[in-house]
Amino acid sequence: MTNKRALIAEDEPILALTLQKMLGKLWPELQICSLAENGVEAVQEALTQLPDILFLDIKMPGKTGLEVAQELAEEWPDQKPFPLIVYVTAYDEYAVEAFEHSASDYVLKPISEDRLNKTVQRLQARLADGPQRPNELERVLEQLRHLVPGQAAQPGNTAQPERLRIIRAAVGNQIRMINVDDVLYFEATDKYINVVTREHSSLIRSSLRELLPQLDSSIFWQIHRSTVVNTLHIQIANKDETGKITLKLKGSEDKLQVSRVYAHLFRQM
C-alpha cells in the first residue's frame, strides 16, 4: 500500500494535535496533509489536497462535518476515488446513526487509543482494495441522504408543519406578495434566499433549513445544497455522459444542476 494522506478537520486545536499524534503512533506511514480549523477551511483544503481519508468533527464552526461531506460529495473530481470518512464526535446519537447508514467509521471524544486503533485497522483494510474500492462515493451519498439536515423535505415525507402559501419579499419600499405555486426555484445565497419566478427574482432573508419544512415536499424538491425546485415547473431532466443531471424549466432559460446527493430523485420510475 502506498503512503496515504489524511486531513483532520477539528476546531479544537488541542484535540486536533492529539489526534494527529495518536495517528502518528498507530499509523506512522500516514501523512497528515492538512489541519483545518473549521468546516469552510476543511472543504477548501480537501479539494486542494485530495486526501485519501477525512477525519471530520461533526460540530464545527462554518460547516458541520456532515455539511462538509455533502459539499465534497458534490464537488469531488470524478477521476479521484472519494476519501474514506471518519466522523469525530462527542455525540453518541450521530455515531449510531452514522453506522446504521454505513458510515466509514466514527470515533467518540475523548478519543481512546484502543478505539482509534480499530478505526485505523478498518481504514487500512478498506484502502487495501485500492482505487477500485467499491462504491465509496455512493456509500457516503446514501448516508448523507439520511443524516444531513433539510433532507426531510423529500418526496414521501408527510410530517410537516403548516405549509407556506404566500411569500413576502421586500423590493425597495414595497412588499412583493409571491404565490408559492408560482415559484420556479429557491436558491440560497449566504444569508438570503433568491426566490425565482418566471417574471422576477426576489431576495428574502431566510435559510433553506428554515424554509424547507414550510414547503410541500411532494412538489418542492431539494436538488442541491443551495437549491430547491418546484417540480411542477420542470420540463425535462437531462443526464450527460458523466451522469450529471441538469433540469430545464418550463418557460425559463434557467438550467439547474442536480447534485450527486439528490440524483436518485430522478431515477426512472
Tab-separated table of all heavy atoms in Angstrom, residues 219-243:
chain	number	residue	atom	x	y	z
A	219	ILE	N	-43.923	18.469	-3.855
A	219	ILE	CA	-43.748	19.369	-5.003
A	219	ILE	C	-42.362	20.019	-5.010
A	219	ILE	O	-41.714	20.095	-6.047
A	219	ILE	CB	-44.842	20.452	-4.991
A	219	ILE	CG1	-46.209	19.797	-5.205
A	219	ILE	CG2	-44.569	21.508	-6.077
A	219	ILE	CD1	-47.370	20.764	-5.103
A	220	PHE	N	-41.925	20.470	-3.864
A	220	PHE	CA	-40.637	21.169	-3.798
A	220	PHE	C	-39.543	20.194	-3.365
A	220	PHE	O	-39.595	19.665	-2.252
A	220	PHE	CB	-40.722	22.350	-2.828
A	220	PHE	CG	-41.520	23.501	-3.365
A	220	PHE	CD1	-42.887	23.586	-3.114
A	220	PHE	CD2	-40.923	24.476	-4.157
A	220	PHE	CE1	-43.631	24.634	-3.629
A	220	PHE	CE2	-41.661	25.531	-4.671
A	220	PHE	CZ	-43.031	25.602	-4.420
A	221	TRP	N	-38.598	19.956	-4.260
A	221	TRP	CA	-37.511	19.009	-4.001
A	221	TRP	C	-36.195	19.757	-3.885
A	221	TRP	O	-35.876	20.592	-4.741
A	221	TRP	CB	-37.371	18.001	-5.148
A	221	TRP	CG	-38.530	17.093	-5.332
A	221	TRP	CD1	-39.703	17.087	-4.660
A	221	TRP	CD2	-38.609	16.035	-6.290
A	221	TRP	NE1	-40.532	16.104	-5.129
A	221	TRP	CE2	-39.881	15.444	-6.133
A	221	TRP	CE3	-37.747	15.538	-7.257
A	221	TRP	CZ2	-40.305	14.375	-6.918
A	221	TRP	CZ3	-38.158	14.469	-8.043
A	221	TRP	CH2	-39.419	13.882	-7.865
A	222	GLN	N	-35.440	19.440	-2.862
A	222	GLN	CA	-34.075	19.950	-2.813
A	222	GLN	C	-33.248	19.142	-3.802
A	222	GLN	O	-33.250	17.904	-3.793
A	222	GLN	CB	-33.484	19.818	-1.402
A	222	GLN	CG	-32.126	20.480	-1.285
A	222	GLN	CD	-31.681	20.695	0.156
A	222	GLN	OE1	-32.317	20.198	1.088
A	222	GLN	NE2	-30.594	21.433	0.328
A	223	ILE	N	-32.528	19.850	-4.670
A	223	ILE	CA	-31.739	19.178	-5.706
A	223	ILE	C	-30.251	19.493	-5.581
A	223	ILE	O	-29.431	18.953	-6.328
A	223	ILE	CB	-32.214	19.572	-7.117
A	223	ILE	CG1	-32.096	21.088	-7.309
A	223	ILE	CG2	-33.627	19.070	-7.364
A	223	ILE	CD1	-32.290	21.524	-8.754
A	224	HIS	N	-29.927	20.374	-4.657
A	224	HIS	CA	-28.550	20.793	-4.426
A	224	HIS	C	-28.539	21.387	-3.034
A	224	HIS	O	-29.599	21.766	-2.506
A	224	HIS	CB	-28.142	21.836	-5.482
A	224	HIS	CG	-26.687	22.178	-5.480
A	224	HIS	ND1	-26.146	23.113	-4.633
A	224	HIS	CD2	-25.656	21.701	-6.229
A	224	HIS	CE1	-24.849	23.198	-4.866
A	224	HIS	NE2	-24.520	22.350	-5.816
A	225	ARG	N	-27.350	21.486	-2.425
A	225	ARG	CA	-27.333	22.046	-1.064
A	225	ARG	C	-27.866	23.467	-1.028
A	225	ARG	O	-28.303	23.935	0.036
A	225	ARG	CB	-25.918	22.004	-0.489
A	225	ARG	CG	-24.916	22.889	-1.172
A	225	ARG	CD	-23.547	22.776	-0.530
A	225	ARG	NE	-22.597	23.688	-1.106
A	225	ARG	CZ	-21.945	23.469	-2.250
A	225	ARG	NH1	-22.140	22.335	-2.901
A	225	ARG	NH2	-21.105	24.351	-2.729
A	226	SER	N	-27.883	24.159	-2.170
A	226	SER	CA	-28.345	25.549	-2.180
A	226	SER	C	-29.597	25.756	-3.033
A	226	SER	O	-30.024	26.897	-3.207
A	226	SER	CB	-27.225	26.466	-2.691
A	226	SER	OG	-26.880	26.116	-4.018
A	227	THR	N	-30.209	24.696	-3.550
A	227	THR	CA	-31.319	24.870	-4.492
A	227	THR	C	-32.486	23.943	-4.187
A	227	THR	O	-32.297	22.741	-3.964
A	227	THR	CB	-30.851	24.585	-5.942
A	227	THR	OG1	-29.639	25.269	-6.201
A	227	THR	CG2	-31.907	25.027	-6.940
A	228	VAL	N	-33.685	24.519	-4.208
A	228	VAL	CA	-34.930	23.755	-4.089
A	228	VAL	C	-35.787	24.107	-5.293
A	228	VAL	O	-36.021	25.291	-5.580
A	228	VAL	CB	-35.676	24.111	-2.787
A	228	VAL	CG1	-37.041	23.430	-2.748
A	228	VAL	CG2	-34.854	23.702	-1.571
A	229	VAL	N	-36.264	23.121	-6.021
A	229	VAL	CA	-37.001	23.371	-7.254
A	229	VAL	C	-38.467	22.983	-7.096
A	229	VAL	O	-38.803	22.045	-6.355
A	229	VAL	CB	-36.361	22.580	-8.429
A	229	VAL	CG1	-36.539	21.079	-8.246
A	229	VAL	CG2	-36.941	23.026	-9.769
A	230	ASN	N	-39.325	23.736	-7.777
A	230	ASN	CA	-40.743	23.379	-7.869
A	230	ASN	C	-40.876	22.372	-9.010
A	230	ASN	O	-40.734	22.717	-10.186
A	230	ASN	CB	-41.566	24.638	-8.155
A	230	ASN	CG	-43.052	24.360	-8.172
A	230	ASN	OD1	-43.489	23.225	-8.373
A	230	ASN	ND2	-43.842	25.401	-7.962
A	231	THR	N	-41.141	21.131	-8.680
A	231	THR	CA	-41.137	20.067	-9.694
A	231	THR	C	-42.237	20.251	-10.735
A	231	THR	O	-42.146	19.705	-11.831
A	231	THR	CB	-41.288	18.691	-9.033
A	231	THR	OG1	-42.489	18.690	-8.250
A	231	THR	CG2	-40.092	18.380	-8.173
A	232	LEU	N	-43.287	21.013	-10.406
A	232	LEU	CA	-44.353	21.238	-11.377
A	232	LEU	C	-43.867	22.076	-12.555
A	232	LEU	O	-44.515	22.111	-13.606
A	232	LEU	CB	-45.543	21.938	-10.706
A	232	LEU	CG	-46.206	21.148	-9.575
A	232	LEU	CD1	-47.351	21.962	-8.991
A	232	LEU	CD2	-46.700	19.798	-10.078
A	233	HIS	N	-42.744	22.750	-12.382
A	233	HIS	CA	-42.206	23.590	-13.442
A	233	HIS	C	-41.028	22.939	-14.172
A	233	HIS	O	-40.416	23.570	-15.031
A	233	HIS	CB	-41.765	24.939	-12.870
A	233	HIS	CG	-42.895	25.761	-12.338
A	233	HIS	ND1	-43.850	26.339	-13.149
A	233	HIS	CD2	-43.242	26.083	-11.066
A	233	HIS	CE1	-44.726	27.000	-12.402
A	233	HIS	NE2	-44.394	26.853	-11.134
A	234	ILE	N	-40.705	21.702	-13.834
A	234	ILE	CA	-39.613	21.021	-14.543
A	234	ILE	C	-40.141	20.492	-15.864
A	234	ILE	O	-41.159	19.789	-15.913
A	234	ILE	CB	-39.053	19.849	-13.706
A	234	ILE	CG1	-38.444	20.364	-12.399
A	234	ILE	CG2	-37.988	19.090	-14.513
A	234	ILE	CD1	-37.995	19.253	-11.472
A	235	GLN	N	-39.462	20.845	-16.938
A	235	GLN	CA	-39.844	20.323	-18.249
A	235	GLN	C	-39.131	19.019	-18.560
A	235	GLN	O	-39.735	18.056	-19.035
A	235	GLN	CB	-39.521	21.350	-19.333
A	235	GLN	CG	-39.999	20.936	-20.719
A	235	GLN	CD	-39.798	22.057	-21.725
A	235	GLN	OE1	-38.778	22.735	-21.734
A	235	GLN	NE2	-40.785	22.267	-22.572
A	236	ILE	N	-37.828	18.986	-18.281
A	236	ILE	CA	-37.075	17.782	-18.606
A	236	ILE	C	-35.819	17.731	-17.743
A	236	ILE	O	-35.271	18.762	-17.344
A	236	ILE	CB	-36.700	17.761	-20.107
A	236	ILE	CG1	-36.241	16.375	-20.545
A	236	ILE	CG2	-35.642	18.798	-20.422
A	236	ILE	CD1	-36.213	16.206	-22.049
A	237	ALA	N	-35.377	16.521	-17.425
A	237	ALA	CA	-34.104	16.318	-16.716
A	237	ALA	C	-33.136	15.649	-17.680
A	237	ALA	O	-33.404	14.544	-18.170
A	237	ALA	CB	-34.317	15.448	-15.480
A	238	ASN	N	-32.049	16.337	-17.963
A	238	ASN	CA	-31.044	15.816	-18.901
A	238	ASN	C	-29.872	15.215	-18.135
A	238	ASN	O	-29.330	15.847	-17.224
A	238	ASN	CB	-30.509	16.947	-19.784
A	238	ASN	CG	-31.496	17.333	-20.862
A	238	ASN	OD1	-31.987	16.475	-21.591
A	238	ASN	ND2	-31.798	18.608	-20.944
A	239	LYS	N	-29.472	14.006	-18.513
A	239	LYS	CA	-28.291	13.387	-17.914
A	239	LYS	C	-27.190	13.330	-18.964
A	239	LYS	O	-27.394	12.818	-20.068
A	239	LYS	CB	-28.607	11.971	-17.421
A	239	LYS	CG	-27.426	11.289	-16.739
A	239	LYS	CD	-27.744	9.856	-16.379
A	239	LYS	CE	-28.757	9.769	-15.254
A	239	LYS	NZ	-28.936	8.358	-14.802
A	240	ASP	N	-26.004	13.870	-18.627
A	240	ASP	CA	-24.915	13.851	-19.605
A	240	ASP	C	-24.124	12.549	-19.493
A	240	ASP	O	-24.451	11.660	-18.684
A	240	ASP	CB	-24.020	15.088	-19.463
A	240	ASP	CG	-23.234	15.101	-18.149
A	240	ASP	OD1	-23.126	14.043	-17.507
A	240	ASP	OD2	-22.729	16.168	-17.788
A	241	GLU	N	-23.054	12.453	-20.286
A	241	GLU	CA	-22.300	11.200	-20.343
A	241	GLU	C	-21.589	10.881	-19.034
A	241	GLU	O	-21.212	9.732	-18.778
A	241	GLU	CB	-21.280	11.242	-21.493
A	241	GLU	CG	-20.221	12.330	-21.383
A	241	GLU	CD	-20.705	13.683	-21.892
A	241	GLU	OE1	-21.910	13.833	-22.235
A	241	GLU	OE2	-19.864	14.596	-21.964
A	242	THR	N	-21.388	11.893	-18.167
A	242	THR	CA	-20.748	11.640	-16.871
A	242	THR	C	-21.764	11.324	-15.780
A	242	THR	O	-21.391	11.063	-14.645
A	242	THR	CB	-19.920	12.865	-16.430
A	242	THR	OG1	-20.816	13.954	-16.150
A	242	THR	CG2	-18.925	13.285	-17.497
A	243	GLY	N	-23.044	11.356	-16.136
A	243	GLY	CA	-24.089	11.069	-15.160
A	243	GLY	C	-24.646	12.290	-14.467
A	243	GLY	O	-25.562	12.171	-13.649
